[in-house]
Amino acid sequence: MKSNKAILGVQKTENVKAEQVPIKKIHIAGRGAIGSLLAGAAEKQTMPYALYPRSPVSQVDKSGFQKPSLEQHNGELPKTETPTRYSQHENGTPTSYFLEWIDGTTYPVTQISRTKPHLSDNDILVLPLKVHHLKAALTQWLPFLGSNTPVVLLHNGMGGYEIAKSLLPSGQPLLLATTSHGAMKRTATQVIYTGVGATQVGIAPHLLSHGHSAIPEWAKSVCHTLHALLPPVKYQTDIMQALWAKLAINVVINPLTALNNITNSHIASEQFANQRKTLCEEFTLVANACGQCFDAIKIEQQVIKVASLTGNNYSSMHQDVKNQRQTEIEVINGYIVNMAQKKGIEVPLNTLLTKQITARLT
């Protein structure tokens, strides 16, 4: 039964700051803006990390030296082999790129070559990937996960949880996360930290024990590490509700900024009042039909707030359309359309925007 009080992303949260069992290393799969932000934060905090492309093939550690693959030597590393630089310019210097922190300080982010790292139970695998990349990436990483290696999904839109649940062993520690930190790739070698936000993390629903609200030690350790990496991190007892709340924002800001080639601030203007209102109403109908409890007026107020606070930023979908990359429209507005169809609800504006974004890339 729904609560009489409609809510927008508000639920019991816990700041996890107490010392826990230390995490040995943070492994970040994906060198997009958020993945690079996490790597740059690890560099800034001098935390052990490794950054990989979506599909790992060979391992490179933080020092920039490639570790020989066991597969290349029949399972045994040659005793006399000297590590070589993973990638070099013609002048011999290692290829790398940089993160510009919010205060303008620049931190080098080590470019990682393709690898197959073996993760222990005290490592973390963070996947800051778009949902359409998740299946292929998880399939590549599966053989290299320890049975208790925590996996963290960090993406816009919905559907990633279902993909991970179908691929990972049933008992694999899995956390779902959403962040409002902003980052953008200025060039192929430079990422900018554009806005301080917060990250919400929660245990995947199928791993929750009914009637037990205590946070497992492994989840505490991950939250503590992520908080030390890029604070603040808040543990959510109902992470799915938090993901729906983030979806409400993306449903409005992402497609409108992408189609109109504008920064986020414009979405708060009167020019987009009618579309903003309609999208919030359509979202509310679908979300509440799916067991959530939202209020369209409060959602619109939150959209205006976020658009204003991130006014100079370009949405990720804007950047994807601008650079002719596959967008996340199918897991944002397209997700609303699909769920609406299942519930027998009409969502004409979400349907239109989904078609318009899709048409831009065909």
Side-chain angles (χ1 to χ4, degrees):
M1 180 179 294
K2 294 181 183 178
S3 166
N4 291 327
K5 182 180 179 181
I7 55 177
L8 173 64
V10 178
Q11 62 210 12
K12 180 181 178 182
T13 64
E14 292 187 39
N15 287 312
V16 183
K17 299 181 181 179
E19 291 292 338
Q20 306 298 330
V21 177
I23 295 295
K24 187 169 68 174
K25 194 170 187 178
I26 302 168
H27 299 261
I28 305 161
R31 297 183 304 164
I34 296 298
S36 298
L37 174 61
L38 295 175
E43 192 77 46
K44 178 178 183 291
Q45 306 291 354
T46 64
M47 298 175 67
Y49 78 95
L51 180 65
Y52 310 94
R54 290 194 303 269
S55 302
V57 176
S58 62
Q59 185 176 24
V60 174
D61 64 18
K62 182 180 171 182
S63 66
F65 288 95
Q66 183 167 336
K67 295 181 179 180
S69 169
L70 292 176
E71 294 179 355
Q72 295 173 342
H73 304 282
N74 299 319
E76 295 184 2
L77 294 179
K79 296 180 181 180
T80 58
E81 183 164 347
T82 302
T84 56
R85 285 287 179 184
Y86 59 87
S87 180
Q88 294 181 335
H89 292 299
E90 292 182 0
N91 62 7
T93 59
T95 303
S96 62
Y97 59 104
F98 300 88
L99 173 74
E100 182 179 313
W101 202 251
I102 200 76
D103 61 1
T105 307
T106 300
Y107 296 91
V109 177
T110 306
Q111 184 173 340
I112 306 301
S113 69
R114 300 180 177 276
T115 169
K116 291 183 178 179
H118 290 271
L119 276 58
S120 75
D121 293 348
N122 290 329
D123 290 323
I124 306 173
L125 175 62
V126 183
L127 294 152
L129 300 173
K130 294 177 180 177
V131 173
H132 55 258
H133 291 144
L134 193 56
K135 182 177 180 180
L138 270 176
T139 301
Q140 289 270 351
W141 282 89
L142 267 175
F144 311 109
L145 296 177
S147 59
N148 293 306
T149 302
V151 176
V152 181
L153 306 186
L154 181 60
H155 56 75
N156 286 330
M158 306 292 274
Y161 167 52
E162 290 78 7
I163 292 172
K165 184 181 177 184
S166 70
L167 292 174
L168 294 173
S170 59
Q172 190 80 41
L174 177 63
L175 288 166
L176 313 181
T178 179
T179 189
S180 57
H181 289 285
M184 183 181 73
K185 278 195 169 183
R186 174 180 284 170
T187 67
T189 59
Q190 186 179 30
V191 176
I192 307 170
Y193 184 12
T194 57
V196 177
T199 301
Q200 301 177 78
V201 179
I203 297 174
H206 72 283
L207 297 177
L208 293 172
S209 299
H210 295 292
H212 298 280
S213 59
I215 310 175
E217 289 302 315
W218 66 266
K220 289 182 182 179
S221 296
V222 173
C223 289
H224 170 70
T225 301
L226 294 178
H227 180 83
L229 176 68
L230 191 64
V233 168
K234 293 184 177 181
Y235 178 83
Q236 298 287 348
T237 57
D238 182 1
I239 189 60
M240 295 307 296
Q241 200 274 337
L243 295 180
W244 274 97
K246 177 66 178 297
L247 180 65
I249 307 300
N250 289 336
V251 157
V252 183
I253 293 178
N254 280 27
L256 294 181
T257 54
L259 288 170
N260 294 281
N261 191 26
I262 52 176
T263 57
N264 293 357
S265 62
H266 292 79
I267 303 305
S269 70
E270 187 64 25
Q271 176 185 355
F272 293 98
N274 289 336
Q275 289 175 297
R276 194 175 61 223
K277 180 175 182 289
T278 301
L279 287 170
C280 291
E281 289 172 345
E282 290 184 2
F283 169 86
T284 300
L285 286 173
V286 174
N288 291 354
C290 293
Q292 298 299 315
C293 190
F294 289 93
D295 177 86
I297 295 176
K298 291 183 178 180
I299 291 174
E300 186 176 3
Q301 291 171 346
Q302 186 68 7
V303 168
I304 292 172
K305 179 181 178 180
V306 172
S308 299
L309 288 174
T310 61
N312 294 327
N313 293 0
Y314 287 101
S315 72
S316 58
M317 192 173 294
H318 173 279
Q319 292 296 289
D320 287 337
V321 169
K322 178 183 177 181
N323 293 290
Q324 288 293 293
R325 297 188 297 252
Q326 183 176 353
T327 74
E328 298 167 295
I329 192 68
E330 290 300 329
V331 296
I332 297 178
N333 301 81
Y335 183 82
I336 294 298
V337 173
N338 290 335
M339 298 307 294
Q341 291 174 344
K342 293 178 181 179
K343 301 295 181 179
I345 300 171
E346 292 187 359
V347 287
L349 186 51
N350 274 280
T351 302
L352 176 62
L353 294 179
T354 301
K355 291 179 178 178
Q356 288 179 330
I357 291 291
T358 303
R360 286 291 181 95
L361 301 178
T362 56

